[in-house]
């Protein structure tokens, strides 16, 4: 099975995030299957978000297609990202992707890492 389309969106994208992802993919030197988003252990708060362009869809990826962008969620990250929104912010000194995640319990002062508690799928009515 070549990936699966989620019955619900694990996360969403703002218009700004979708436009920036489309722009980057359009300028890529090789074909891109989608943007893979996940989390990893590390940083002073415990976890950090990961993003990379994927050439292939992994068999267990959660697939979100929204606003013309395909987002692949690492299966180990689904419960940490449930209900999140990815945005793209530009200010005078920087431009960056940001996450509004209801599962975050704290963040470090430098903004590079967060503490995330996994969502409870039963409490959200997502498991039978």
């Amino acid at each position: 099975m070549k990936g699966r389309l989620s019955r619900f969106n694990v996360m969403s994208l703002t218009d700004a995030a979708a436009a920036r992802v489309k722009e980057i993919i359009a300028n890529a030197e090789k074909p891109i299957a989608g943007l893979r988003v996940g989390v990893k252990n590390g940083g002073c708060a415990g976890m950090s978000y990961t993003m990379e362009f994927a050439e292939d869809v992994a068999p267990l990826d959660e697939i979100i297609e929204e606003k013309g962008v395909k987002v692949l969620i690492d299966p180990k990250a689904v419960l940490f990202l449930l209900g999140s929104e990815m945005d793209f912010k530009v200010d005078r000194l920087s431009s960056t992707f940001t996450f509004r995640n209801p599962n975050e319990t704290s963040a470090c002062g430098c903004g590079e890492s967060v503490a995330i508690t996994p969502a409870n799928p039963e409490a959200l009515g997502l498991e039978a």
Side-chain angles (χ1 to χ4, degrees), residues 1-7 10 33-38 52-64 70-78:
M1 185 168 148
K2 193 103 162 125
R4 56 190 169 149
L5 189 60
S6 180
R7 294 177 309 234
V10 173
L35 175 68
R36 180 166 287 114
V37 177
E52 65 182 4
F53 290 106
E55 294 179 35
D56 298 306
V57 176
L60 296 178
D61 281 343
E62 287 289 333
I63 301 169
I64 298 166
K70 185 182 286 187
V71 178
L72 312 172
I73 307 291
D74 179 335
K76 293 176 274 187
V78 169

Side-chain angles (χ1 to χ4, degrees), residues 11 34-43 46-54 61 71-78 80-81 86 97-99 101 112-114 116:
M11 62 178 274
L35 175 68
R36 180 166 287 114
V37 177
V39 294
K40 68 177 183 176
N41 291 333
M47 300 186 95
S48 58
Y49 296 103
T50 62
M51 294 175 51
E52 65 182 4
F53 290 106
D61 281 343
V71 178
L72 312 172
I73 307 291
D74 179 335
K76 293 176 274 187
V78 169
F80 293 104
L81 295 173
M86 186 172 87
F97 286 100
T98 61
F99 291 85
N101 186 339
E112 293 296 318
S113 66
V114 293
I116 307 172

Side-chain angles (χ1 to χ4, degrees), residues 6 27 30 54 70 84 90 111 118 126:
S6 180
N27 294 319
K30 53 188 167 187
K70 185 182 286 187
S84 296
V90 178
L126 300 175

